[in-house]
Amino acid sequence: MKHKNYINNEWLDAKSGSTFDVENPFTEEIIAQVPLSGAVDVDTAVQAAKSAWKEWKMLGSLDMRDLLREVAVKSRANERQLAEVITHESGKPLIECLDEIEWIASIFEYYSEIGRDQRGRVVAPVTPRSMSMVVKEAYGVVGCIVPWNYPLLLMAWKVAPAMAAGNTVVVKPSEVTPLSIMLWLEMCCNHLPKGILNMVTGYGETGAALVEHPDTRVIAFTGSVDTGKKIASMAATQLKKTSLELGGNDPIIICDDVDIEIAAKGTAWGGLLNGGQVCTSLERVFVMETVADSFTEAVVEEAKKVRLGDPMNGKTDMGPMSSKMQLEKAEGKVERALVEGARLLCGGDRPNQFEKGYFYNPTVFDNVTSNMEMMNVETFGPIIPIQRVKDLEEAIELANNSQYGLGCNIYTNDMEKALTAADDIKAGSFWINDPLTDNEAAPFGGMKMSGGGRELGIEGLDEFREPKHILIDYQIREKDYWFPYDLDEGRKT
Ligand code: NAD
């Protein structure tokens, strides 16, 4: 695999000659050194994308469809190799990484089709023998800045619709997980015309250079709220469009009318999947008092059953945390929760059976109150805090008592409760009895501090196209409302 920047379909070192290390969080070994790109490299990539745009935006829709569909075919054909690289760089279990590859293939398939569907509308003209068309056109060069928890998926959520809408792209992967994108470009995108899709690697400074470059017209970003704010303020100086998918602290409400065993299994999976490092991880659990004891006991039982281990093993449920930094963040959150008075029911420490790897045990707390840090700030670790509530009204109030509005979940058989909660809780996704299930044909994104803009669905395509009104008068004639004016004769419009 090439460990370089990808610009104009060529593999290049950074102009500075500097590199940074990529670590495997299971073996704690350095597995690659990749270019530390600066503003000059970003400029080269943006210029490549800008030159390529002139032809790409004019490409016929069937050719566009075929090129994007081929990305999907090649992604599926190389799924094992791609998934293994994600596992090596992130510690995510192989089975979840294989799902990630299948998902990116379906996203490319989906946008290859809807990208050639409607491009706007025709509206009723204001004068006879004329026509008003609204055409949605591409912006130009799109900068995509991606996090490490789903490195290929969250890249595809941006790149596929951006390209399908007729833009060209420069991607900046996370410094933690640049390798899977490199392999994917090498194996699945080598048929694309030169300069359509480019990549530069580096830390936040490289991302900032992409945001500040005058020729990137849209910045599509997924990451933390803090970085999102920085990007929004940098982009504002050029009035540049941003699409921001940021953090969350998602609630789940457990009503007293459900199968507690299933609700507990769903909660444990939704809280611990990928070590709790999912933007929509279940991070605040509100359970009704009458079922709180049995539910909490069942969640603890499920958490204790989770099999930690080598993420390449097909029977591992949870691998190591993706980096030492994420491990330390989880440790810090647990320490502070204990000081704040939460009661630890399981976990809260590192497993002792591994000599290496940034492992942390699945952790469950109860005696949780809404003023505690973990109920207010994104946790992003394998930590499930359970808070008791007396009824749905209190659960809705607590769910809304948050700066975030990414996703929300409920378990109930009572549709009145489910849809009342869906009406009253501010969240971009609302899952009833099925935590965390997305659909590429439906929009995904956050309300409140969880972001602005949407990915997936037709809404995800519209993030990357801007409307233009084209008025055609197909009978050239002098208009009676032109000069010379004469108010005595009356106004004519
Ligand atoms: P992060 O904000 O630290 O980094 C994300 C990306 O931004 C990386 O590529 C990083 O190099 C880059 N970056 C950092 N500083 C920058 C700057 N000043 N200018 C431009 N780019 C910069 O986030 P992370 O730790 O990689 O990812 C975890 C976060 O992502 C969590 O908060 C999680 O909730 C969020 N997330 C959100 C979604 C969503 O769809 N809403 C999905 C996944 C993850």
Side-chain angles (χ1 to χ4, degrees), residues 345-382:
L345 300 177
C346 68
D349 54 2
R350 300 192 58 188
N352 48 21
Q353 71 265 41
F354 304 106
E355 275 175 23
K356 288 210 163 160
Y358 303 125
F359 287 97
Y360 198 75
N361 275 321
T363 299
V364 182
F365 282 109
D366 74 350
N367 270 4
V368 168
T369 53
S370 8
N371 55 344
M372 291 179 180
E373 179 191 322
M374 58 188 168
M375 300 307 264
N376 291 283
V377 182
E378 181 176 48
T379 313
F380 230 57

Coordinates of all heavy atoms in Angstrom, one line a residue, residues 345-382:
L345 N -21.2 -0.2 38.8 CA -21.8 -1.6 38.9 C -20.9 -2.6 38.2 O -21.0 -3.8 38.5 CB -23.2 -1.6 38.2 CG -24.2 -0.6 38.9 CD1 -25.5 -0.6 38.1 CD2 -24.4 -1.0 40.3
C346 N -20.2 -2.2 37.2 CA -19.2 -3.1 36.6 C -18.2 -2.3 35.8 O -18.5 -1.2 35.4 CB -19.8 -4.2 35.7 SG -20.6 -3.6 34.2
G347 N -17.0 -2.9 35.5 CA -16.0 -2.2 34.7 C -15.3 -1.2 35.6 O -15.0 -1.3 36.7
G348 N -15.0 0.0 34.9 CA -14.3 1.1 35.6 C -12.8 0.9 35.7 O -12.2 1.6 36.4
D349 N -12.3 -0.1 34.9 CA -10.9 -0.3 35.0 C -10.4 -1.0 33.7 O -11.3 -1.3 32.8 CB -10.5 -1.2 36.2 CG -11.3 -2.5 36.2 OD1 -12.1 -2.7 35.2 OD2 -11.2 -3.3 37.1
R350 N -9.1 -1.3 33.6 CA -8.6 -1.9 32.4 C -8.6 -3.4 32.7 O -8.3 -3.9 33.8 CB -7.2 -1.4 32.1 CG -7.2 0.1 31.9 CD -5.9 0.5 31.3 NE -5.6 -0.2 30.1 CZ -4.5 -0.1 29.4 NH1 -3.5 0.6 29.9 NH2 -4.3 -0.8 28.3
P351 N -8.8 -4.3 31.7 CA -8.7 -5.7 31.9 C -7.3 -6.1 32.1 O -6.4 -5.4 31.6 CB -9.3 -6.3 30.6 CG -9.1 -5.2 29.6 CD -9.2 -3.9 30.3
N352 N -7.0 -7.2 32.9 CA -5.6 -7.5 33.1 C -5.1 -8.7 32.3 O -4.0 -9.1 32.5 CB -5.4 -7.8 34.6 CG -6.4 -8.7 35.2 OD1 -7.0 -9.4 34.4 ND2 -6.7 -8.7 36.5
Q353 N -6.0 -9.2 31.4 CA -5.5 -10.3 30.6 C -4.6 -10.0 29.4 O -4.1 -10.8 28.7 CB -6.6 -11.3 30.2 CG -7.6 -10.7 29.1 CD -8.8 -10.0 29.7 OE1 -8.7 -9.3 30.7 NE2 -9.9 -10.2 29.1
F354 N -4.5 -8.6 29.1 CA -3.7 -8.3 27.9 C -2.4 -7.6 28.3 O -2.4 -6.7 29.2 CB -4.5 -7.3 27.1 CG -5.9 -7.8 26.7 CD1 -7.0 -7.3 27.3 CD2 -6.0 -8.9 25.7 CE1 -8.3 -7.8 26.9 CE2 -7.2 -9.4 25.4 CZ -8.4 -8.9 26.0
E355 N -1.3 -8.0 27.6 CA -0.1 -7.3 27.9 C 0.0 -5.9 27.2 O 0.7 -5.0 27.6 CB 1.1 -8.2 27.5 CG 1.5 -9.2 28.5 CD 2.5 -10.1 28.1 OE1 3.3 -9.8 27.1 OE2 2.6 -11.2 28.6
K356 N -0.7 -5.9 26.1 CA -0.6 -4.7 25.2 C -2.0 -4.3 24.8 O -2.9 -5.1 24.9 CB 0.3 -4.9 24.0 CG 1.7 -5.0 24.4 CD 2.6 -4.5 23.2 CE 3.9 -4.2 23.8 NZ 4.9 -4.2 22.7
G357 N -2.2 -3.2 24.2 CA -3.5 -2.7 23.7 C -4.2 -1.8 24.7 O -4.1 -2.0 25.9
Y358 N -4.9 -0.8 24.1 CA -5.5 0.2 24.9 C -6.9 -0.2 25.3 O -7.9 0.4 25.0 CB -5.6 1.5 24.1 CG -4.2 2.0 23.7 CD1 -3.9 2.2 22.4 CD2 -3.1 2.1 24.6 CE1 -2.6 2.6 22.0 CE2 -1.9 2.5 24.3 CZ -1.6 2.7 22.9 OH -0.3 3.1 22.6
F359 N -7.0 -1.4 26.0 CA -8.3 -1.9 26.4 C -8.9 -1.2 27.6 O -8.2 -0.8 28.5 CB -8.2 -3.4 26.7 CG -8.0 -4.2 25.5 CD1 -6.7 -4.6 25.1 CD2 -9.0 -4.6 24.7 CE1 -6.5 -5.4 24.0 CE2 -8.9 -5.4 23.6 CZ -7.6 -5.8 23.2
Y360 N -10.2 -1.1 27.6 CA -11.0 -0.6 28.8 C -12.2 -1.5 29.0 O -12.9 -1.8 28.0 CB -11.4 0.8 28.6 CG -11.7 1.5 30.0 CD1 -10.7 1.8 30.8 CD2 -13.0 1.7 30.3 CE1 -11.0 2.4 32.1 CE2 -13.3 2.2 31.6 CZ -12.3 2.6 32.4 OH -12.5 3.1 33.7
N361 N -12.5 -1.9 30.2 CA -13.7 -2.7 30.4 C -15.0 -2.0 30.2 O -15.1 -0.8 30.6 CB -13.6 -3.3 31.8 CG -12.7 -4.5 31.9 OD1 -12.7 -5.4 31.0 ND2 -12.0 -4.6 33.0
P362 N -16.0 -2.7 29.7 CA -17.4 -2.1 29.6 C -17.8 -1.8 31.0 O -17.7 -2.5 32.0 CB -18.2 -3.3 29.1 CG -17.2 -4.1 28.3 CD -15.9 -4.0 29.1
T363 N -18.3 -0.6 31.1 CA -18.6 0.0 32.4 C -20.1 0.5 32.6 O -20.6 1.1 31.6 CB -17.6 1.3 32.6 OG1 -16.3 0.8 32.5 CG2 -17.9 2.0 33.9
V364 N -20.7 0.2 33.7 CA -22.1 0.6 33.9 C -22.2 1.3 35.2 O -21.6 0.9 36.2 CB -23.1 -0.6 33.9 CG1 -24.5 -0.1 34.1 CG2 -22.9 -1.4 32.6
F365 N -22.8 2.5 35.2 CA -23.1 3.2 36.5 C -24.6 3.3 36.7 O -25.4 3.5 35.8 CB -22.6 4.7 36.3 CG -21.1 4.9 36.4 CD1 -20.3 5.2 35.3 CD2 -20.5 4.8 37.7 CE1 -19.0 5.4 35.5 CE2 -19.1 5.0 37.8 CZ -18.3 5.3 36.7
D366 N -25.0 3.3 38.0 CA -26.3 3.9 38.3 C -26.1 5.0 39.4 O -25.0 5.5 39.6 CB -27.3 2.8 38.7 CG -27.2 2.2 40.1 OD1 -26.1 2.5 40.7 OD2 -28.0 1.5 40.5
N367 N -27.2 5.3 40.1 CA -27.2 6.5 41.0 C -26.6 7.7 40.3 O -25.8 8.5 40.8 CB -26.2 6.3 42.2 CG -27.0 5.6 43.3 OD1 -28.1 5.4 43.2 ND2 -26.3 5.5 44.4
V368 N -27.1 7.9 39.1 CA -26.6 9.0 38.2 C -27.6 10.1 38.3 O -28.8 10.0 38.3 CB -26.5 8.4 36.8 CG1 -26.3 9.6 35.8 CG2 -25.4 7.4 36.7
T369 N -27.0 11.3 38.3 CA -27.9 12.5 38.3 C -27.5 13.4 37.1 O -26.4 13.4 36.6 CB -27.8 13.3 39.6 OG1 -26.4 13.6 39.9 CG2 -28.4 12.6 40.8
S370 N -28.5 14.3 36.8 CA -28.3 15.1 35.5 C -27.2 16.1 35.6 O -26.8 16.6 34.6 CB -29.5 15.7 35.1 OG -30.6 15.6 35.9
N371 N -26.7 16.4 36.8 CA -25.6 17.4 36.9 C -24.2 16.8 36.7 O -23.2 17.5 36.6 CB -25.7 18.2 38.2 CG -25.6 17.3 39.4 OD1 -25.9 16.1 39.2 ND2 -25.4 17.8 40.6
M372 N -24.2 15.5 36.6 CA -22.8 14.9 36.4 C -22.3 15.1 35.1 O -23.0 15.2 34.1 CB -22.9 13.3 36.7 CG -23.2 13.0 38.1 SD -23.4 11.3 38.4 CE -23.8 11.3 40.2
E373 N -20.9 15.1 35.0 CA -20.2 15.4 33.7 C -20.7 14.5 32.6 O -21.0 14.9 31.5 CB -18.7 15.3 33.9 CG -18.0 15.5 32.6 CD -16.5 15.2 32.7 OE1 -15.9 15.4 33.8 OE2 -16.0 14.7 31.7
M374 N -20.8 13.2 32.9 CA -21.1 12.2 31.8 C -22.5 12.4 31.2 O -22.8 12.0 30.1 CB -20.9 10.8 32.2 CG -21.6 10.3 33.3 SD -21.0 8.7 33.8 CE -21.8 8.5 35.4
M375 N -23.4 13.1 32.0 CA -24.7 13.4 31.5 C -24.8 14.7 30.7 O -25.8 15.1 30.2 CB -25.8 13.4 32.6 CG -25.8 12.1 33.4 SD -26.1 10.6 32.3 CE -27.9 10.5 32.4
N376 N -23.7 15.4 30.7 CA -23.7 16.7 30.0 C -22.7 16.8 28.9 O -22.9 17.7 28.0 CB -23.4 17.8 31.0 CG -24.6 17.9 32.0 OD1 -25.6 18.5 31.6 ND2 -24.5 17.4 33.2
V377 N -21.6 16.0 28.9 CA -20.6 16.1 27.9 C -20.4 14.7 27.3 O -20.5 13.7 27.9 CB -19.2 16.5 28.6 CG1 -18.1 16.7 27.5 CG2 -19.4 17.8 29.4
E378 N -20.2 14.8 25.9 CA -20.0 13.5 25.2 C -19.0 12.6 25.9 O -17.9 13.0 26.3 CB -19.6 13.8 23.8 CG -19.4 12.6 22.9 CD -19.0 13.0 21.5 OE1 -18.1 13.8 21.3 OE2 -19.6 12.5 20.6
T379 N -19.4 11.3 26.0 CA -18.5 10.4 26.7 C -17.5 9.7 25.8 O -16.3 9.7 26.0 CB -19.3 9.3 27.4 OG1 -20.4 9.9 28.1 CG2 -18.4 8.5 28.4
F380 N -18.0 9.1 24.7 CA -17.2 8.5 23.6 C -16.3 7.4 24.2 O -15.1 7.3 23.8 CB -16.3 9.6 22.9 CG -16.5 9.4 21.4 CD1 -17.7 9.5 20.8 CD2 -15.4 9.3 20.6 CE1 -17.9 9.4 19.4 CE2 -15.5 9.1 19.2 CZ -16.8 9.2 18.6
G381 N -16.8 6.6 25.1 CA -16.1 5.5 25.6 C -17.1 4.4 26.0 O -18.3 4.7 26.0
P382 N -16.7 3.2 26.5 CA -17.6 2.1 26.8 C -18.2 2.3 28.2 O -18.1 1.5 29.1 CB -16.7 0.9 26.7 CG -15.3 1.4 27.1 CD -15.2 2.8 26.7

